[in-house]
């Protein structure tokens, strides 16, 4: 994977490599406790939390992993969120996709647009055959994104996710290469 060349452009968005300069823009939404209700990571308390997160992403790039892109508006460059892959299993040609969009921008199709583009990258450039996503059953907006992307629900995995000091059930969704529509 050539990490110098991972920029993706869609109709309204640019997905680009994260840099240390993105801390304030990411903190602006990662510090929102409404946004973090259904994610595995804790609400960022200060810029140091955000810088630590950026550090893990940059370390991942350096190891050849395909971690989060920063999702920005194509016209202004404003940071809208992130999306990217975790648990890339090259041997089995699968990875899990994750995504977050700032609350002020919800319900305008941005997550669906960003994740569709990331999936296209995954099938074309990472040689994935299967992309998975996990969602807490209460997270209706995220489940809707998965359905809009054509992902199929494969069931509930009990007590699979640790968040906020407790185990949570998750629904698992997947899309296979031949099911992908750009
Ligand atoms: C999930 C998330 C990324 C969606 O971002 P978004 O840009 O608003 O997504 P989209 O606009 O592409 O699609 C949202 C869809 O969910 C629907 N929706 C919103 N709230 C909903 C709810 N409570 N229940 C069911 N559907 C809901 C919207 O109507 C829209 O569907 P539509 O296009 O058919 O009208 C955003 O809400 C978010 O960042 N949430 C917090 C982080 C998170 O949960 N990440 C995913 C973890 S699995």
């Amino acid at each position: 994977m050539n990490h110098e060349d991972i920029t993706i452009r869609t109709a309204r968005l640019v997905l680009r490599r994260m840099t240390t300069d993105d801390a304030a823009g990411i903190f602006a939404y990662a510090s929102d406790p409404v946004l973090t209700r259904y994610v595995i990571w804790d609400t960022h308390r200060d810029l140091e939390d955000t810088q630590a997160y950026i550090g893990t992403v940059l370390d991942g790039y350096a190891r050849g992993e395909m971690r989060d892109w920063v999702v920005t508006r194509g016209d202004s460059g404003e940071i809208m969120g992130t999306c990217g892959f975790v648990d890339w299993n090259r041997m089995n040609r699968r990875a899990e996709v994750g995504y977050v969009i700032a609350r002020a921008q919800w319900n305008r199709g941005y997550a669906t647009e960003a994740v569709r583009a990331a999936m296209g990258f995954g099938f074309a450039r990472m040689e994935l055959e299967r992309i998975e996503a996990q969602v807490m059953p209460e997270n209706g907006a995220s489940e809707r994104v998965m359905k809009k992307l054509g992902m199929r629900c494969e069931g509930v995995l009990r007590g699979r996710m640790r968040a906020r000091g407790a185990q949570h059930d998750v629904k698992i969704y997947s899309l296979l290469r031949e099911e992908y529509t750009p």
Side-chain angles (χ1 to χ4, degrees):
M1 179 63 51
N2 174 10
H3 282 74
E4 299 308 317
D5 176 28
I6 62 167
T7 300
I8 306 175
R9 287 184 175 75
T10 70
R12 296 179 294 170
L13 303 171
V14 175
L15 281 59
R16 61 158 175 80
R17 270 174 77 98
M18 193 175 290
T19 78
T20 51
D21 292 340
D22 295 325
I26 292 173
F27 178 75
Y29 66 80
S31 55
D32 174 0
V34 174
L35 181 142
T36 57
R37 269 179 313 189
Y38 307 124
V39 298
I40 197 167
W41 43 275
D42 290 329
T43 313
H44 292 194
R45 295 158 299 181
D46 48 39
L47 270 178
E48 279 181 26
D49 282 349
T50 308
Q51 278 151 355
Y53 155 68
I54 292 174
T56 64
V57 172
L58 300 188
D59 288 350
Y61 293 155
R63 283 196 299 269
E65 295 168 8
M66 200 39 247
R67 295 289 301 269
D68 283 340
W69 284 269
V70 179
V71 177
T72 64
R73 283 180 66 110
D75 54 4
S76 64
E78 180 190 348
I79 293 180
M80 315 272 289
T82 54
C83 103
F85 292 104
V86 290
D87 292 336
W88 180 8
N89 183 320
R90 291 170 204 243
M91 190 181 287
N92 290 301
R93 299 195 174 198
R94 65 164 191 255
E96 181 184 331
V97 71
Y99 44 87
V100 169
I101 294 288
R103 183 146 52 113
Q105 307 291 348
W106 285 359
N107 300 327
R108 296 176 193 177
Y110 288 126
T112 306
E113 186 169 323
V115 178
R116 181 171 278 128
M119 285 176 146
F121 182 100
F123 289 127
R125 300 270 304 274
M126 296 162 67
E127 299 185 325
L128 298 177
E129 294 292 338
R130 170 187 163 94
I131 294 175
E132 303 176 347
Q134 298 183 50
V135 60
M136 289 191 204
E138 308 89 310
N139 192 352
S142 183
E143 191 167 3
R144 177 81 190 119
V145 170
M146 293 173 192
K147 287 183 177 152
K148 286 198 290 181
L149 289 164
M151 301 183 88
R152 214 187 286 174
C153 183
E154 296 177 321
V156 176
L157 302 182
R158 296 173 304 141
R160 165 122 166 129
M161 187 187 284
R162 181 96 186 152
R164 321 267 166 265
Q167 297 303 123
H168 297 268
D169 293 351
V170 294
K171 286 185 173 177
I172 186 138
Y173 276 75
S174 71
L175 190 81
L176 304 182
R177 168 190 285 277
E178 59 272 21
E179 296 166 345
Y180 174 72
T181 35

